[in-house]
Amino acid sequence: MFLDVLRRRNPAFIEAAMALHQQGKIPANAYVLDLDTVERNARVLADEAARLGLKAFAMTKQVGRSSSFCHAVKRGGIDRAVAVDMACARATHKAGLKLGHLGHLQQVARHEAAAAAKAFAPDYWTVFNDSKADEAAAGAKAAGRTQGLLARIRAEGDIFYRGHEGGYDAADVTTVADRLDALDGGRFAGITTFPALLFDQAARKVLPTHNLSTLSKAAEALAKSGRKGIEINAPGTTSAVMLQALADAGATQCEPGNGLHGTTALHVMEDLPELPAVLYLTEVSHLAGGKAYCLGGGFYIDPIFPDYDVKALVGAEPTVAATALRSVEVPPPSAIDYYAMIDATGPSAPKPGDTAVFGFRGQAFVTRAFVVGVSGISKGQPKVETIENGFGETAAWPV
């Protein structure tokens, strides 16, 4: 889906990645990052967030919490991360980003709360219920801190991905705020939801969700009760062009993730300020039955899109030519993706060892892929900075 955008807007990245793979400098089954472009994208988002008075927290899970990615984002002006889980918190903290937001989407496990409060000292900590609020506050108190707590709220008509449900009833937000303020070691800081913005396939646009309206109404109720300085955390499909809509709805925080590497759903439909900065690379292993089998482990086809003809650039030399494009059958999510099958019919059929490049809106942290950070592409001097696993740890490669 994103390969056409990659070929058109960042061809030097594709060519550099293919060359490095053919030189034996990066592994197959790898999400590869153009760190120069990540830094540029971060700067675009940071500048627009600053103009609108929004705090920006970087989401890193899509690219496996890569340490070199974190460094590039920081150079671009975003020095804080949002941790979707404790693995994100550990990796981004180790990489030198301040932890801006913990506990959303995944709540912190009971026996990890005290350690998280002490080690990470997050600016904001999302809680779905009073039990989780108690744990966060107790951990902060033990660490000699007062923790700013964000209440995850929900109302009739809000939408959540299956498995993401939970939170306080938005109608009770003022009493929830009072309860969180009463905690020893905690204070009510604001409210959050997800998703606040969502790509609409029929409209081919990113639109506000009912959740964003729920946040706005809850903020109004809190203001009427006399509260000031309420933080409104509103993540979801974040590109620089969408930040104005968040600010207009009263948001004070945004959390760019796919926007940092130019792969929100809207980036397929329009040329946005952010350039594509991630690709998936692997290699042909063997031929069988008119198919070239390429090594898997990192395939992730985002379910927000309808089924489409997945294609890859395949060859032994760096190329972005349309003649190198071939259709690919990717195993369904119910199967283990040991291989994907590339069409090997016709002239210039793929051979073992050929490089295959895909454009995905990936989620590297749920795959078995390597994550590779490459600098210097913008200067014509590509250099591999990191080869890591999905936890931001140096990978054992080649053995």
Side-chain angles (χ1 to χ4, degrees), residues 84-283:
V84 73
D85 54 19
M86 283 291 285
C88 278
R90 296 182 190 103
T92 55
H93 175 76
K94 183 180 178 182
L97 290 177
K98 167 71 176 172
L99 193 58
H101 185 192
L102 179 67
H104 198 210
L105 294 164
Q106 193 174 82
Q107 294 278 272
V108 177
R110 177 166 51 125
H111 293 298
E112 296 176 20
K118 181 178 180 181
F120 303 139
D123 294 335
Y124 302 98
W125 188 319
T126 284
V127 293
F128 286 20
N129 55 46
D130 286 351
S131 294
K132 288 299 170 189
D134 289 344
E135 292 163 11
K141 180 185 177 184
R145 302 173 46 246
T146 298
Q147 178 63 57
L149 301 172
L150 298 178
R152 215 288 192 108
I153 60 172
R154 54 181 171 77
E156 191 71 29
D158 287 355
I159 59 170
F160 299 98
Y161 293 106
R162 186 64 178 145
H164 291 198
E165 299 88 353
Y168 291 98
D169 189 331
D172 300 330
V173 69
T174 57
T175 57
V176 169
D178 290 342
R179 292 205 303 274
L180 298 189
D181 265 345
L183 293 173
D184 193 4
R187 67 174 181 86
F188 174 75
I191 50 180
T192 187
T193 187
F194 177 78
L197 300 173
L198 194 62
F199 179 73
D200 185 285
Q201 187 67 43
R204 298 171 72 87
K205 294 180 179 179
V206 174
L207 301 174
T209 64
H210 189 275
N211 306 40
L212 187 57
S213 174
T214 295
L215 286 182
S216 297
K217 290 176 181 176
E220 290 175 8
L222 289 163
K224 286 179 181 177
S225 73
R227 290 185 175 271
K228 297 179 181 179
I230 302 161
E231 292 288 338
I232 302 177
N233 176 271
T237 316
T238 306
S239 164
V241 299
M242 300 307 302
L243 297 188
Q244 184 70 60
L246 292 180
D248 290 346
T252 64
Q253 301 177 9
C254 62
E255 296 180 345
N258 288 94
L260 290 167
H261 31 90
T263 58
T264 75
L266 193 59
H267 283 84
V268 173
M269 307 300 167
E270 303 176 21
D271 282 355
L272 301 183
E274 304 89 4
L275 295 174
V278 62
L279 58 79
Y280 178 67
L281 180 149
T282 189
E283 72 178 52

